[in-house]
Amino acid sequence: METVSQYLVTLLVDKFDVDPDAVKPGSTLAELELDSLAVVELLVTVQERWGVELDDGDAAAELSIDHLARLVADQLPEGGGPVDAAADTGTAR
């Protein structure tokens, strides 16, 4: 099953053109050079994919990949997965 962390890495690389070598668990969204609009788009995409609610206060460039993954995972039921497992990262199919 896809984990939230795996999904975030794929999403950042495929949709936001982030260098795969730059994506580390402790990397912040600012370090990955996501601007405020990209951060909001990332959070909306994650919310839709995983069926979770993220607080507007979470839309911060200082948010790290592992922290975002924990925010999502903490809201999932045990063994929970993406709402739409067939959906991809929003990139070309």
Side-chain angles (χ1 to χ4, degrees):
M1 174 186 289
E2 176 183 48
T3 67
V4 176
S5 294
Q6 291 169 332
Y7 174 75
L8 290 173
V9 171
T10 301
L11 180 64
L12 288 164
V13 171
D14 291 351
K15 187 170 184 175
F16 295 94
D17 296 323
V18 174
D19 178 358
D21 293 333
V23 182
K24 309 285 187 228
S27 300
T28 66
L29 301 179
E31 290 170 340
L32 299 175
E33 299 182 0
L34 294 180
D35 62 22
S36 59
L37 182 59
V39 170
V40 170
E41 185 177 352
L42 172 69
L43 295 184
V44 168
T45 303
V46 169
Q47 289 179 96
E48 291 175 352
R49 171 67 182 233
W50 293 89
V52 297
E53 293 291 327
L54 298 172
D55 188 274
D56 289 343
D58 293 330
E62 296 80 26
L63 186 64
S64 68
I65 302 304
D66 58 347
H67 188 188
L68 178 56
R70 281 194 311 273
L71 288 173
V72 174
D74 287 349
Q75 295 184 51
L76 297 175
E78 190 170 325
V83 172
D84 180 6
D88 64 14
T89 58
T91 58
R93 294 176 194 214

